[in-house]
mmCIF file of all heavy atoms in Angstrom:
data_model
loop_
_atom_site.group_PDB
_atom_site.id
_atom_site.type_symbol
_atom_site.label_atom_id
_atom_site.label_comp_id
_atom_site.label_asym_id
_atom_site.label_seq_id
_atom_site.Cartn_x
_atom_site.Cartn_y
_atom_site.Cartn_z
ATOM 1 N N ARG A 437 -19.793 -41.973 3.189
ATOM 2 C CA ARG A 437 -20.603 -41.244 4.184
ATOM 3 C C ARG A 437 -21.744 -42.155 4.715
ATOM 4 O O ARG A 437 -21.908 -43.208 4.157
ATOM 5 C CB ARG A 437 -21.232 -40.011 3.460
ATOM 6 C CG ARG A 437 -20.326 -39.143 2.704
ATOM 7 C CD ARG A 437 -20.969 -38.047 2.036
ATOM 8 N NE ARG A 437 -20.097 -37.312 1.222
ATOM 9 C CZ ARG A 437 -20.349 -36.325 0.442
ATOM 10 N NH1 ARG A 437 -21.574 -35.861 0.326
ATOM 11 N NH2 ARG A 437 -19.406 -35.615 -0.256
ATOM 12 N N SER A 438 -22.413 -41.662 5.657
ATOM 13 C CA SER A 438 -23.595 -42.320 6.255
ATOM 14 C C SER A 438 -24.473 -42.652 5.134
ATOM 15 O O SER A 438 -24.797 -41.784 4.231
ATOM 16 C CB SER A 438 -24.334 -41.432 7.254
ATOM 17 O OG SER A 438 -23.537 -41.299 8.410
ATOM 18 N N GLY A 439 -25.031 -43.906 5.047
ATOM 19 C CA GLY A 439 -25.942 -44.277 4.106
ATOM 20 C C GLY A 439 -25.375 -44.755 2.810
ATOM 21 O O GLY A 439 -26.191 -45.201 1.969
ATOM 22 N N SER A 440 -24.056 -44.626 2.599
ATOM 23 C CA SER A 440 -23.491 -45.083 1.366
ATOM 24 C C SER A 440 -22.688 -46.329 1.373
ATOM 25 O O SER A 440 -22.361 -46.926 0.383
ATOM 26 C CB SER A 440 -22.705 -43.953 0.764
ATOM 27 O OG SER A 440 -21.461 -43.725 1.488
ATOM 28 N N ALA A 441 -22.390 -46.841 2.522
ATOM 29 C CA ALA A 441 -21.708 -48.150 2.688
ATOM 30 C C ALA A 441 -22.037 -48.590 4.113
ATOM 31 O O ALA A 441 -22.540 -47.868 4.987
ATOM 32 C CB ALA A 441 -20.212 -47.906 2.544
ATOM 33 N N ASP A 442 -21.670 -49.853 4.394
ATOM 34 C CA ASP A 442 -22.068 -50.535 5.695
ATOM 35 C C ASP A 442 -21.255 -49.975 6.809
ATOM 36 O O ASP A 442 -21.649 -49.873 8.016
ATOM 37 C CB ASP A 442 -21.881 -52.078 5.598
ATOM 38 C CG ASP A 442 -23.087 -52.632 4.879
ATOM 39 O OD1 ASP A 442 -23.728 -51.899 4.139
ATOM 40 O OD2 ASP A 442 -23.359 -53.863 5.110
ATOM 41 N N ALA A 443 -19.982 -49.453 6.527
ATOM 42 C CA ALA A 443 -19.064 -48.875 7.557
ATOM 43 C C ALA A 443 -18.582 -47.540 6.895
ATOM 44 O O ALA A 443 -18.492 -47.371 5.729
ATOM 45 C CB ALA A 443 -17.940 -49.813 7.862
ATOM 46 N N ALA A 444 -18.297 -46.575 7.838
ATOM 47 C CA ALA A 444 -17.801 -45.366 7.293
ATOM 48 C C ALA A 444 -16.227 -45.631 6.973
ATOM 49 O O ALA A 444 -15.592 -46.445 7.724
ATOM 50 C CB ALA A 444 -17.817 -44.244 8.380
ATOM 51 N N VAL A 445 -15.708 -44.976 5.953
ATOM 52 C CA VAL A 445 -14.417 -45.164 5.594
ATOM 53 C C VAL A 445 -13.716 -43.797 5.562
ATOM 54 O O VAL A 445 -14.262 -42.807 5.044
ATOM 55 C CB VAL A 445 -14.256 -45.740 4.074
ATOM 56 C CG1 VAL A 445 -12.813 -45.908 3.708
ATOM 57 C CG2 VAL A 445 -14.925 -47.082 4.119
ATOM 58 N N LEU A 446 -12.518 -43.727 6.219
ATOM 59 C CA LEU A 446 -11.929 -42.415 6.444
ATOM 60 C C LEU A 446 -10.457 -42.500 5.997
ATOM 61 O O LEU A 446 -9.767 -43.465 6.382
ATOM 62 C CB LEU A 446 -11.921 -42.024 7.874
ATOM 63 C CG LEU A 446 -13.288 -41.806 8.519
ATOM 64 C CD1 LEU A 446 -13.240 -42.129 9.953
ATOM 65 C CD2 LEU A 446 -13.790 -40.419 8.324
ATOM 66 N N HIS A 447 -9.962 -41.592 5.218
ATOM 67 C CA HIS A 447 -8.548 -41.454 4.871
ATOM 68 C C HIS A 447 -7.692 -41.366 6.123
ATOM 69 O O HIS A 447 -8.022 -40.596 7.018
ATOM 70 C CB HIS A 447 -8.239 -40.098 4.152
ATOM 71 C CG HIS A 447 -8.452 -40.015 2.788
ATOM 72 N ND1 HIS A 447 -7.759 -40.846 1.928
ATOM 73 C CD2 HIS A 447 -9.216 -39.198 2.041
ATOM 74 C CE1 HIS A 447 -8.071 -40.432 0.629
ATOM 75 N NE2 HIS A 447 -8.992 -39.504 0.702
ATOM 76 N N LEU A 448 -6.526 -42.010 6.100
ATOM 77 C CA LEU A 448 -5.611 -41.673 7.289
ATOM 78 C C LEU A 448 -4.812 -40.415 7.015
ATOM 79 O O LEU A 448 -4.585 -39.592 7.862
ATOM 80 C CB LEU A 448 -4.618 -42.892 7.438
ATOM 81 C CG LEU A 448 -5.290 -44.072 8.158
ATOM 82 C CD1 LEU A 448 -4.433 -45.296 8.112
ATOM 83 C CD2 LEU A 448 -5.600 -43.688 9.570
ATOM 84 N N THR A 449 -4.224 -40.331 5.769
ATOM 85 C CA THR A 449 -3.405 -39.068 5.413
ATOM 86 C C THR A 449 -3.998 -38.472 4.276
ATOM 87 O O THR A 449 -4.539 -39.164 3.324
ATOM 88 C CB THR A 449 -1.990 -39.367 5.218
ATOM 89 O OG1 THR A 449 -1.907 -40.516 4.332
ATOM 90 C CG2 THR A 449 -1.305 -39.785 6.578
ATOM 91 N N HIS A 450 -3.974 -37.227 4.147
ATOM 92 C CA HIS A 450 -4.641 -36.506 3.062
ATOM 93 C C HIS A 450 -3.935 -36.728 1.651
ATOM 94 O O HIS A 450 -4.513 -36.479 0.618
ATOM 95 C CB HIS A 450 -4.810 -35.064 3.310
ATOM 96 C CG HIS A 450 -5.859 -34.811 4.363
ATOM 97 N ND1 HIS A 450 -5.522 -34.395 5.670
ATOM 98 C CD2 HIS A 450 -7.156 -34.893 4.416
ATOM 99 C CE1 HIS A 450 -6.647 -34.282 6.350
ATOM 100 N NE2 HIS A 450 -7.668 -34.510 5.653
ATOM 101 N N ASP A 451 -2.691 -37.024 1.724
ATOM 102 C CA ASP A 451 -2.023 -37.279 0.330
ATOM 103 C C ASP A 451 -2.306 -38.703 -0.082
ATOM 104 O O ASP A 451 -1.854 -39.135 -1.108
ATOM 105 C CB ASP A 451 -0.543 -37.073 0.483
ATOM 106 C CG ASP A 451 0.094 -37.978 1.597
ATOM 107 O OD1 ASP A 451 -0.573 -38.895 2.037
ATOM 108 O OD2 ASP A 451 1.319 -37.791 1.832
ATOM 109 N N GLY A 452 -3.172 -39.515 0.616
ATOM 110 C CA GLY A 452 -3.612 -40.788 0.125
ATOM 111 C C GLY A 452 -2.536 -41.840 0.194
ATOM 112 O O GLY A 452 -2.729 -42.948 -0.254
ATOM 113 N N THR A 453 -1.441 -41.639 0.923
ATOM 114 C CA THR A 453 -0.330 -42.603 0.947
ATOM 115 C C THR A 453 -0.512 -43.606 2.052
ATOM 116 O O THR A 453 0.187 -44.675 2.018
ATOM 117 C CB THR A 453 1.069 -41.835 1.097
ATOM 118 O OG1 THR A 453 0.906 -41.031 2.310
ATOM 119 C CG2 THR A 453 1.364 -40.985 -0.034
ATOM 120 N N SER A 454 -1.354 -43.494 2.972
ATOM 121 C CA SER A 454 -1.410 -44.405 4.090
ATOM 122 C C SER A 454 -2.647 -45.152 4.187
ATOM 123 O O SER A 454 -3.057 -45.606 5.217
ATOM 124 C CB SER A 454 -1.171 -43.644 5.398
ATOM 125 O OG SER A 454 0.281 -43.355 5.587
ATOM 126 N N GLY A 455 -3.438 -45.313 3.096
ATOM 127 C CA GLY A 455 -4.631 -46.020 3.091
ATOM 128 C C GLY A 455 -5.697 -45.339 4.019
ATOM 129 O O GLY A 455 -5.773 -44.204 4.130
ATOM 130 N N ALA A 456 -6.595 -46.290 4.562
ATOM 131 C CA ALA A 456 -7.803 -45.691 5.242
ATOM 132 C C ALA A 456 -8.127 -46.643 6.354
ATOM 133 O O ALA A 456 -7.656 -47.679 6.461
ATOM 134 C CB ALA A 456 -8.924 -45.538 4.192
ATOM 135 N N ILE A 457 -9.031 -46.091 7.204
ATOM 136 C CA ILE A 457 -9.656 -47.013 8.155
ATOM 137 C C ILE A 457 -11.118 -47.091 7.901
ATOM 138 O O ILE A 457 -11.741 -46.195 7.365
ATOM 139 C CB ILE A 457 -9.379 -46.572 9.572
ATOM 140 C CG1 ILE A 457 -9.752 -45.074 9.849
ATOM 141 C CG2 ILE A 457 -7.888 -46.686 10.039
ATOM 142 C CD1 ILE A 457 -9.828 -44.625 11.275
ATOM 143 N N ALA A 458 -11.806 -48.178 8.473
ATOM 144 C CA ALA A 458 -13.180 -48.250 8.473
ATOM 145 C C ALA A 458 -13.637 -48.330 9.899
ATOM 146 O O ALA A 458 -12.998 -48.919 10.744
ATOM 147 C CB ALA A 458 -13.631 -49.513 7.802
ATOM 148 N N VAL A 459 -14.754 -47.749 10.206
ATOM 149 C CA VAL A 459 -15.378 -47.802 11.558
ATOM 150 C C VAL A 459 -16.876 -48.117 11.474
ATOM 151 O O VAL A 459 -17.551 -47.634 10.655
ATOM 152 C CB VAL A 459 -15.125 -46.484 12.258
ATOM 153 C CG1 VAL A 459 -13.687 -46.207 12.626
ATOM 154 C CG2 VAL A 459 -15.679 -45.189 11.483
ATOM 155 N N SER A 460 -17.249 -48.873 12.540
ATOM 156 C CA SER A 460 -18.672 -49.057 12.626
ATOM 157 C C SER A 460 -19.062 -49.311 14.042
ATOM 158 O O SER A 460 -18.207 -49.607 14.996
ATOM 159 C CB SER A 460 -19.001 -50.421 11.813
ATOM 160 O OG SER A 460 -20.440 -50.696 11.768
ATOM 161 N N ILE A 461 -20.331 -49.216 14.378
ATOM 162 C CA ILE A 461 -20.821 -49.396 15.782
ATOM 163 C C ILE A 461 -22.205 -50.170 15.565
ATOM 164 O O ILE A 461 -23.008 -49.804 14.801
ATOM 165 C CB ILE A 461 -20.984 -48.064 16.449
ATOM 166 C CG1 ILE A 461 -21.292 -48.294 17.982
ATOM 167 C CG2 ILE A 461 -21.996 -47.078 15.829
ATOM 168 C CD1 ILE A 461 -21.082 -47.139 18.783
#
Side-chain angles (χ1 to χ4, degrees):
Chain A
R437 307 174 188 181
S438 292
S440 70
D442 282 21
V445 178
L446 300 153
H447 272 301
L448 280 172
T449 49
H450 289 108
D451 58 8
T453 53
S454 280
I457 54 167
V459 289
S460 183
I461 187 166

